[in-house]
């Protein structure tokens, strides 16, 4: 176990990241917003709060997080947003994004992302979602355990090359960040001083957590023709003496770039903004057009009969909520995902999402 926790990939094993870090920028002090699991940290990315949640809380995932998101803030200020998905996107864990008026903001990655890039029709703010389930037909590309990391590399390569070939390239800042650290060791202690609670909503008994510390560092990369080669972004210089780069830096930076009217919470008002990485006075013309081809790392094929991970069970919960066939209490009680195999989950999720989008 110790060898796994202390282990890592050599640069040549992740050639896409090696090239991007060499050609553009990496941040060596980007922390997760909370020392918690995947969903709370993902929620912070889009809303600068997890609404008092540090675990994957089933009821909140079913009913939907109620807080305002950066998507709504962007739209209210006259800008556009788009979410490109391969499986039903976890951004739908937000209640407001399930509204009919936002259906046209969701796009199929495989059929629409490259085309929108080529046509110069990308929205002002774009989120691209991974594939979170691994099957023999569609391999997971989210870097979760059991999934082949080379598939994640292929995915990033595909996104970069589509952006690079777009007429919008000189207007783009591409950000790659991980939601949480996955339990692996890091030698940098997470900050614990001067971190504000987003909204004053604590985690209830028995934890009594007040969101006054950050979680472990995660990788964060910035790609743009406005960034010099080999840039390393360290800690921010403000807006407060204790400010850090963390997931709330994304809505904080969007507010600054788009001159949005207000912050979402106390946390994005405090978080450092990474617009400072754009240091050039003119865009580069030497950015690579293509990236290295990743080499398959996993020796075995996925097993479609595997049971689901906790995160994949969350996606089934979301699908149940979107499908709308069951009452909330029934969804929470029947634990449908507990007895599903991977392939059964994929079929159920896709059917539920299709019904949601067609209604």
């Amino acid at each position: 176990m110790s060898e796994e926790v202390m282990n890592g990939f050599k640069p040549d094993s992740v050639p896409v990241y090696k090239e991007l870090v060499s050609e553009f920028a990496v941040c060596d002090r980007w922390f997760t917003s909370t020392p918690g699991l995947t969903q709370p940290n993902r929620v912070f990315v889009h809303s600068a709060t997890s609404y008092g949640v540090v675990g994957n809380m089933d009821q909140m995932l079913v009913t939907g997080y109620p807080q305002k998101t950066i998507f709504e803030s962007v739209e209210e200020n006259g800008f556009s947003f788009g979410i490109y998905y391969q499986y039903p996107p976890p951004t739908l864990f937000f209640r407001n994004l399930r509204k009919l008026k936002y259906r046209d903001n969701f796009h199929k990655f495989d059929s629409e992302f490259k085309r929108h890039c080529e046509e110069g029709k990308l929205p002002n703010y774009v989120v691209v979602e991974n594939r979170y389930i691994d099957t023999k037909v569609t391999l997971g590309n989210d870097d979760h355990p059991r999934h082949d990391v080379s598939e994640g590399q292929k995915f990033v390569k595909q996104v970069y090359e589509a952006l690079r070939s777009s007429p919008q390239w000189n207007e783009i800042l591409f950000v790659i960040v991980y939601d949480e650290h996955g339990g692996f060791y890091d030698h940098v202690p997470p900050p614990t001083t001067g971190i504000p609670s987003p909204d004053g909503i604590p985690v209830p008994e028995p934890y009594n957590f007040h969101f006054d510390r950050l979680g472990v560092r995660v990788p964060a990369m910035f790609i743009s023709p406005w960034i010099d080669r080999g840039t390393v972004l360290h800690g921010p210089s403000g807006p407060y003496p204790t400010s850090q780069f963390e997931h709330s830096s994304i809505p904080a930076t969007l507010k600054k770039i788009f001159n949005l009217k207000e912050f979402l919470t106390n946390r994005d008002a405090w978080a450092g903004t990474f617009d400072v990485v754009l240091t050039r006075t003119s865009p580069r013309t030497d950015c690579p057009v293509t990236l290295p081809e990743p080499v398959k790392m996993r020796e075995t094929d996925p097993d479609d009969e595997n049971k689901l991970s906790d995160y994949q069970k969350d996606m089934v919960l979301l699908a149940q909520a979107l499908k709308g066939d069951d009452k909330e209490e029934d969804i929470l009680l029947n634990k449908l995902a507990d007895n599903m195999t991977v392939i059964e989950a994929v079929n159920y999720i896709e059917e539920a999402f299709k019904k949601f989008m067609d209604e």
Side-chain angles (χ1 to χ4, degrees), residues 80-349:
S80 58
F81 74 87
I83 298 166
Y84 293 81
Y85 63 88
Q86 297 170 82
Y87 280 152
T91 38
L92 286 171
F93 282 127
F94 290 103
R95 186 185 305 167
N96 290 342
L97 292 184
R98 299 177 187 178
K99 294 178 180 178
L100 181 62
K101 69 175 183 176
Y102 292 126
R103 298 289 169 87
D104 290 341
N105 295 89
F106 291 88
H107 309 282
K108 294 180 179 179
F109 175 81
D110 292 335
S111 60
E112 297 183 69
F113 182 73
K114 186 175 180 180
R115 176 168 59 84
H116 287 179
C117 287
E118 290 173 346
E119 295 173 354
K121 293 182 178 178
L122 288 174
N124 298 119
Y125 178 50
V126 169
V127 171
V128 183
E129 297 278 8
N130 310 75
R131 280 195 304 269
Y132 304 102
I133 303 180
D134 199 38
T135 71
K136 292 178 180 177
V137 175
T138 54
L139 299 173
N141 58 15
D142 60 344
D143 286 357
H144 272 95
R146 284 209 309 237
H147 300 176
D148 189 337
V149 170
S150 68
E151 292 298 320
Q153 294 285 285
K154 290 178 185 177
F155 174 56
V156 173
K157 171 183 166 71
Q158 185 179 4
V159 172
Y160 172 84
E161 291 177 0
L163 295 174
R164 179 64 180 86
S165 64
S166 173
Q168 294 173 285
W169 170 244
N170 284 345
E171 306 167 32
I172 286 172
L173 171 58
F174 175 28
V175 180
I176 302 169
V177 67
Y178 283 68
D179 48 42
E180 43 96 358
H181 73 294
F184 295 99
Y185 171 80
D186 185 31
H187 67 280
V188 176
T192 59
T193 303
I195 299 153
S197 170
D199 42 26
I201 304 175
V203 180
E205 295 280 0
Y207 303 106
N208 290 322
F209 180 60
H210 293 273
F211 295 91
D212 51 2
R213 65 176 298 161
L214 300 179
V216 179
R217 284 192 312 172
V218 289
M221 287 161 267
F222 308 95
I223 296 96
S224 171
W226 297 91
I227 298 174
D228 283 323
R229 296 184 78 252
T231 297
V232 179
L233 188 63
H234 304 298
S237 57
Y240 295 92
T242 61
S243 293
Q244 301 286 345
F245 289 125
E246 54 112 327
H247 297 331
S248 300
S249 293
I250 292 177
T253 304
L254 286 168
K255 179 186 182 299
K256 187 173 181 181
I257 289 175
F258 293 141
N259 194 27
L260 306 181
K261 293 178 181 177
E262 58 187 10
F263 290 105
L264 295 170
T265 70
N266 295 328
R267 184 63 74 82
D268 59 323
W270 166 88
T273 60
F274 49 81
D275 55 302
V276 295
V277 77
L278 306 169
T279 57
R280 294 180 58 86
T281 57
S282 61
R284 287 169 50 190
T285 58
D286 63 345
C287 302
V289 175
T290 61
L291 296 176
E293 191 66 43
V295 177
K296 180 179 173 66
M297 298 175 69
R298 187 174 58 185
E299 296 179 357
T300 58
D301 291 327
D303 185 353
D304 287 355
E305 300 305 312
N306 274 331
K307 293 298 182 182
L308 303 181
S309 68
D310 288 343
Y311 182 81
Q312 292 164 346
K313 290 179 182 179
D314 291 344
M315 299 308 298
V316 173
L317 271 178
L318 173 62
Q320 288 180 269
L322 296 179
K323 194 174 184 182
D325 290 345
D326 300 315
K327 295 179 180 179
E328 176 189 328
E329 56 267 27
D330 294 333
I331 293 174
L332 295 170
L333 283 173
N334 65 20
K335 301 291 183 182
L336 181 66
D338 285 353
N339 298 313
M340 277 187 173
T341 63
V342 165
I343 194 63
E344 289 171 342
V346 167
N347 293 335
Y348 180 85
I349 289 169

